[in-house]
Amino acid sequence: MSSVVSARGLNLTFQTSDGPVHALKNVNLEIEKGDFVSFIGPSGCGKTTFLRCIAALEQPTGGSLSVNGMTPDEARRNRAYGYVFQAAGLYPWRTIARNIKLPLEIMGYTREEQEDRVRKVLDLVDLAGFGGKYPWQLSGGMQQRASIARALAFDADILLMDEPFGALDEIVRDHLNEQLLALWARTGKTIGFVTHSIPEAVYLSTRIVVMSPRPGRITDVIESPLPRERPLGIRDSKAFIEVAHRVREGLRAGHSDD
Amino acid sequence: MVLVVLALVLWGAGWWLNTRLAEGPHSGTSAVRLAIPLIFGATVLVMWELVVRGLNVPLVILPAPSLIVVRFADSIPILWADFVQTFVKGALSGYLIGCGAAFLMAVAVDRSEFLRLGLLPVGNFVAALPIVGTAPILVMWFGFDWQSKAAVVVVMVFFPMLVNTVAGLRETTAMQRDLMETYAASYWQAFFKLRLPAAMPFIFNGLKISTTLALIGAIVAEFFGSPTLGMGFRISTSVGQLALDMVWAEIVVAALAGTLFYGAVALIERYVTFWHPSQRR
Amino acid sequence: MRQVLAVLAVVAAIVGLWYLACIPMNMQGVLVEAERAGAQVSPPEAAARREMGGVSLALRNGFAIPATWAQERPRLPAPHQVAVELWETTIDKKITSKRSLVYHGWVTLSATLLGFAIGTGLGVLLAVGIVHSRVMDMSVMPWAIVSQTIPIIALAPMIIVVLYSVGVQGIIPKAVISAYLSFFSVVVGMVKGLRSPDAMQLDLLRTYNASKGQTFWKLRLPASMPYLFASLKIGIAASLVGAIVGELPTGAVAGLGARLLAGSYYGQTVQIWSALFGAAILAACLVGLLGLIEKMVLKRMGMA
């Protein structure tokens, strides 16, 4: 019962005007507590769909899926996870601090608790002092950090991230990757992370789930041999390059049967 | 004749001045931006005065601005009473009731996809109709006093406000709604924290359109019957007596009321929707 | 398909509410007539009835409900009464007859169209001037915008009377009102449209060394079309209102506004409602026609 997320024979078929689309087919995966799992694959491979299934934003059409031993919808109602989207999606009419308070207000935290948590998570994502700014006064990278802070503000031990850094430039991205690892080490959360960048997946993850499209399915699960402590320089190490190579091979294998 | 020539010269001078200002080095400054339309307006007014005096245009065709000003100053008590009757009692109360009712209706409609689908085209259709035409009916029902004017205003502002609010409440992205879903937010939490603030620019658009409609409704409804005061009443009776200076004075009141009303709503909008790209500075 | 169904449901609900509203609205009058005809009415005293609301009267005099939908001069005519009146005054009457709604509609429509054409033409010209001349932009545009917040329709009675006193009557005064009501909305919309091309598109033409005229015909004008049509639809609705209001102050004998006014003098509610619906149908047709033209134009331009 140590699995945080457990998927068995998961299927999801969308009915479109061109006939059914198999977004997910026979997906089996266990995510353990404290894991950092990346989902990688070309577009249409179902990586985002799988994350949305975990978050109960999509309903699977077959198989079983449990989150913290509950159905995904029960987990959602218990506020079991924080979700970070591709874009920051901060409300322009709220300051950064009040954006982070948004989930806290909805979940009924006391006022002092709200202030306290906002201060903590702003520190955590390195945005102390920016609480009074409006989102449109901040850079894209800072906005995305604020949206991560928003997902961390309440007590969810799962963090689901859907290409959170996809729209940012490489330099900002490296920096945020480093900060994300530090944050994961400090909080011990279980993280599900969708990306289409091989270096990002290898750098961040303890496990890399390689997926491929038509139908969307898992083609390989790679346990990373890298230590949990990872300076940016690790990306030049032999072990890193080997893992990256394996991921690339897995992606290519998934493609070859087109 | 001299005065007419003077008017033409003045026109040329005003235009020349504005050209210099507009194409000069300071044309971007807010002082010049304000000065140019004011110079233009002043030139038109002075020309009007000179031409009316120069050609001896009779009062019953076009009174000179100076006459209108004198009439305005002399009739302030009357104009004020008319303003209270038409604007405060008729237009403003109708505006508040109409916009409030439309807002509540929009919130109610918003819960049902089916209702929204049906009501939006109907609302858009009705918003384009000549609704002032209901004035004779409503005057018949509610009597000559301000209640019937308020009723006309309610009917006039209701549909533009409804359509804008309903459209505004839809104005959230799928991502924003998903976020609320991940928080397991209730309907009303999502409503007050997400959809209502996101709808504000649309709601204010409806409120701004409605300011002008409210004044039009209140004035035109008085053409169909009113007690012996009110802006529309004064305009129609003064026209009948060929007292055009009074008509113009009343039009000045209507213009001021319309602009200030709109300006007040726009000011509140700036305060409420400061975050919207169109309002950021 | 779902949309059509939804619209039909909403319309049916409105018609249903309308029929229901007729009952309390007309009950007082119906009971007076019924009493005169010798029927048993509750309560029998006219004074007591005047004190009561329409709903409670309806509850005590259920037999009279059908009559509320068939009065000669009801406070609120039932939908079918309006429909019958519309039918009789449009299809059955000869269109030359003074009682034909088509005749009255045409009187109003001709003034509307003439004014709308003038207003639109002048509006587009001024907009072109404003976009190309910085002085005009800075002098005139603020006033054009302010004019949108002013009930300029209040000028209508004066225009009619002033033009009458200099000997101009008939269609022209109403057309003038229609013209200036559409003028300002066209100016504002057209300026917005002519300015809608972004900096990149303008820069592209600058790299071709295109002249001002070429930029206008090849970029600004096509880009302005959606904006133009949006403001034309608002403009023609305003023009129609202008023509109708223009018929009020002179006690005009013909036109939809005259029908409204005459109806309200003589308490001919059915006539008022049918004139109102006539005006509504006219407005809907005009806006619909513009929408159709818009679709065709944008399609030919490859924008829709």
Side-chain angles (χ1 to χ4, degrees):
Chain A
M1 206 51 237
S2 65
S3 280
V4 173
V5 175
S6 163
R8 295 212 183 95
L10 199 67
N11 279 300
L12 175 56
T13 315
F14 291 116
Q15 297 299 336
T16 69
S17 49
D18 297 337
V21 172
H22 292 278
L24 292 174
K25 191 169 184 192
N26 195 24
V27 169
N28 295 292
L29 189 72
E30 305 286 321
I31 298 178
E32 310 294 328
K33 187 159 176 45
D35 266 356
F36 195 129
V37 180
S38 284
F39 300 88
I40 190 165
S43 55
C45 70
K47 54 192 193 296
T48 294
T49 309
F50 184 53
L51 205 68
R52 288 172 65 86
C53 284
I54 299 174
L57 294 173
E58 303 283 356
Q59 295 307 317
T61 45
S64 75
L65 178 63
S66 72
V67 178
N68 282 348
M70 299 174 264
T71 69
D73 204 52
E74 283 165 352
R76 179 175 73 84
R77 288 179 199 290
N78 281 310
R79 281 113 183 197
Y81 59 84
Y83 201 104
V84 180
F85 293 87
Q86 286 176 0
L90 300 166
Y91 292 176
W93 54 86
R94 283 172 173 249
T95 59
I96 297 297
R98 292 202 57 228
N99 261 294
I100 295 170
K101 273 185 206 164
L102 176 72
L104 304 176
E105 287 169 13
I106 289 174
M107 297 172 193
Y109 285 78
T110 65
R111 210 149 276 195
E112 304 85 68
E113 185 89 343
Q114 290 180 17
E115 297 293 342
D116 196 44
R117 280 167 184 261
V118 166
R119 204 170 328 107
K120 265 188 207 146
V121 291
L122 276 178
D123 268 343
L124 216 54
V125 297
D126 229 0
L127 277 178
F130 287 95
K133 294 276 186 204
Y134 284 94
W136 30 275
Q137 297 169 323
L138 264 52
S139 70
M142 289 165 101
Q143 287 184 25
Q144 197 54 276
R145 277 188 347 237
S147 88
I148 294 170
R150 184 177 58 186
L152 293 174
F154 52 99
D155 292 315
D157 50 8
I158 309 173
L159 188 58
L160 301 174
M161 308 177 89
D162 182 8
E163 296 189 40
F165 309 136
L168 305 174
D169 68 60
E170 187 116 17
I171 299 164
V172 176
R173 195 177 190 158
D174 277 352
H175 182 62
L176 290 181
N177 280 342
E178 217 180 348
Q179 284 187 317
L180 182 59
L181 274 186
L183 205 140
W184 172 59
R186 245 179 298 165
T187 56
K189 289 191 193 260
T190 312
I191 299 182
F193 190 97
V194 168
T195 180
H196 50 227
S197 155
I198 297 173
E200 189 172 63
V202 178
Y203 176 63
L204 292 173
S205 325
T206 55
R207 293 165 83 202
I208 302 158
V209 178
V210 181
M211 299 182 73
S212 77
R214 282 174 305 261
R217 64 197 186 280
I218 295 176
T219 48
D220 198 3
V221 179
I222 299 162
E223 301 284 342
S224 174
L226 300 177
R228 283 197 158 216
E229 195 84 356
R230 298 172 186 183
L232 267 179
I234 203 170
R235 294 182 301 180
D236 299 320
S237 72
K238 195 150 181 263
F240 186 97
I241 291 165
E242 260 167 27
V243 179
H245 181 75
R246 251 193 85 184
V247 174
R248 197 167 292 119
E249 287 297 306
L251 286 172
R252 195 167 299 157
H255 250 287
S256 63
D257 47 48
D258 277 348
Chain B
M1 209 56 226
V2 182
L3 292 176
V4 177
V5 174
L6 196 62
L8 291 176
V9 171
L10 197 84
W11 172 259
W15 196 252
W16 177 80
L17 182 62
N18 268 354
T19 312
R20 285 291 302 270
L21 281 174
E23 274 150 26
H26 305 293
S27 76
T29 61
S30 53
V32 171
R33 285 194 167 278
L34 192 65
I36 290 181
L38 288 181
I39 292 171
F40 178 78
T43 313
V44 169
L45 274 182
V46 176
M47 269 190 65
W48 173 356
E49 179 84 33
L50 291 175
V51 168
V52 167
R53 282 171 187 262
L55 296 180
N56 278 323
V57 178
L59 174 81
V60 296
I61 291 179
L62 188 65
S66 55
L67 273 178
I68 298 170
V69 170
V70 170
R71 169 59 63 194
F72 188 95
D74 285 349
S75 328
I76 282 179
I78 296 179
L79 294 174
W80 176 253
D82 290 346
F83 171 80
V84 170
Q85 170 74 15
T86 304
F87 182 80
V88 181
K89 289 187 185 166
L92 200 57
S93 60
Y95 179 82
L96 293 177
I97 298 169
C99 290
F103 178 80
L104 293 179
M105 178 94 171
V107 173
V109 165
D110 185 64
R111 293 207 77 160
S112 151
E113 169 84 18
F114 187 72
L115 260 183
R116 198 184 62 243
L117 222 54
L119 210 64
L120 258 191
V122 175
N124 267 318
F125 174 76
V126 177
L129 300 181
I131 298 185
V132 265
T134 57
I137 297 161
L138 293 168
V139 168
M140 213 176 271
W141 287 354
F142 294 99
F144 280 177
D145 209 348
W146 62 269
Q147 290 87 345
S148 62
K149 316 303 176 284
V152 173
V153 174
V154 168
V155 181
M156 279 190 80
V157 301
F158 184 80
F159 285 98
M161 185 66 192
L162 177 72
V163 169
N164 271 289
T165 310
V166 170
L169 288 175
R170 295 293 305 156
E171 195 56 22
T172 50
T173 61
M175 202 187 79
Q176 288 173 321
R177 289 194 296 274
D178 280 348
L179 183 69
M180 279 297 164
E181 192 95 331
T182 68
Y183 297 153
S186 70
Y187 175 84
W188 290 110
Q189 281 176 328
F191 180 82
F192 281 111
K193 300 217 183 282
L194 169 62
R195 311 234 312 288
L196 188 59
M200 277 301 161
F202 284 76
I203 291 174
F204 271 97
N205 192 33
L207 287 174
K208 284 195 291 187
I209 295 171
S210 297
T211 58
T212 319
L213 289 177
L215 221 57
I216 290 173
I219 291 175
V220 172
E222 288 182 1
F223 295 163
F224 287 95
S226 67
T228 55
L229 81 168
M231 289 153 75
F233 165 80
R234 195 74 57 202
I235 288 174
S236 56
T237 50
S238 299
V239 161
Q241 299 157 358
L242 296 177
L244 286 202
D245 49 349
M246 191 63 194
V247 176
W248 279 100
E250 204 66 70
I251 284 166
V252 171
V253 174
L256 285 177
T259 315
L260 292 179
F261 191 12
Y262 186 94
V265 174
L267 209 67
I268 301 173
E269 176 186 29
R270 164 152 287 182
Y271 178 74
V272 175
T273 66
F274 63 93
W275 49 271
H276 195 256
S278 66
Q279 304 281 353
R280 288 178 204 159
R281 273 178 300 177
Chain C
M1 193 53 227
R2 227 173 95 76
Q3 170 124 38
V4 176
L5 217 66
V7 169
L8 285 178
V10 168
V11 171
I14 291 173
V15 171
L17 282 176
W18 186 347
Y19 271 109
L20 278 181
C22 286
I23 299 173
M25 286 294 284
N26 299 333
M27 194 40 102
Q28 295 272 8
V30 165
L31 290 183
V32 171
E33 284 166 26
E35 193 177 30
R36 253 182 237 143
Q40 275 294 344
V41 173
S42 148
E45 307 84 19
R49 285 204 303 272
R50 267 196 291 278
E51 297 294 310
M52 292 173 63
V55 177
S56 47
L57 276 179
L59 289 177
R60 296 175 67 161
N61 298 283
F63 73 93
I65 287 177
T68 59
W69 297 319
Q71 264 191 299
E72 180 79 13
R73 287 184 187 185
R75 287 180 75 198
L76 174 63
H80 68 268
Q81 289 179 292
V82 178
V84 166
E85 169 82 5
L86 265 176
W87 181 266
E88 282 175 356
T89 52
T90 50
I91 312 296
D92 283 356
K93 282 268 180 320
K94 268 208 275 206
I95 56 165
T96 48
S97 159
K98 283 275 189 294
R99 294 197 53 197
S100 163
L101 206 59
V102 178
Y103 163 76
H104 289 285
W106 169 248
V107 169
T108 304
L109 178 65
S110 53
T112 304
L113 290 180
L114 180 63
F116 177 66
I118 298 170
T120 304
L122 292 178
V124 170
L125 281 183
L126 183 63
V128 172
I130 283 176
V131 169
H132 284 103
S133 155
R134 204 173 155 71
V135 201
M136 274 176 91
D137 176 22
M138 294 177 82
S139 314
V140 181
M141 199 55 194
W143 294 106
I145 292 171
V146 168
S147 75
Q148 301 274 287
T149 68
I150 298 175
I152 42 179
I153 202 164
L155 289 166
M158 189 177 62
I159 287 170
I160 300 283
V161 170
V162 166
L163 289 180
Y164 183 81
S165 70
V166 297
V168 182
Q169 332 178 19
I171 187 175
I172 302 289
K174 285 191 273 172
V176 169
I177 297 167
S178 288
Y180 81 70
L181 283 177
S182 55
F183 174 76
F184 287 108
S185 72
V186 169
V187 171
V188 174
M190 192 69 184
V191 167
K192 211 179 193 178
L194 290 173
R195 292 231 171 100
S196 64
D198 60 30
M200 203 182 69
Q201 290 170 312
L202 286 169
D203 280 346
L204 180 69
L205 287 191
R206 201 164 301 147
T207 66
Y208 299 156
N209 194 25
S211 69
K212 261 195 168 180
Q214 287 170 320
T215 310
F216 178 80
W217 291 110
K218 300 221 179 289
L219 176 59
R220 287 191 189 274
L221 192 64
S224 71
M225 281 303 136
Y227 295 83
L228 176 65
F229 276 105
S231 54
L232 285 184
K233 285 186 207 160
I234 297 169
I236 198 144
S239 279
L240 184 64
V241 172
I244 291 173
V245 172
E247 286 162 353
L248 301 180
T250 47
V253 287
L256 293 172
R259 290 291 278 185
L260 282 178
L261 203 61
S264 87
Y265 279 158
Y266 302 114
Q268 294 283 4
T269 40
V270 181
Q271 180 186 322
I272 300 182
W273 279 89
S274 66
L276 188 61
F277 270 81
I281 292 166
L282 201 56
C285 289
L286 291 173
V287 174
L289 193 66
L290 276 173
L292 223 61
I293 297 173
E294 175 182 21
K295 239 182 212 149
M296 268 160 43
V297 169
L298 292 188
K299 196 161 206 171
R300 280 196 66 165
M301 288 169 44
M303 290 168 78

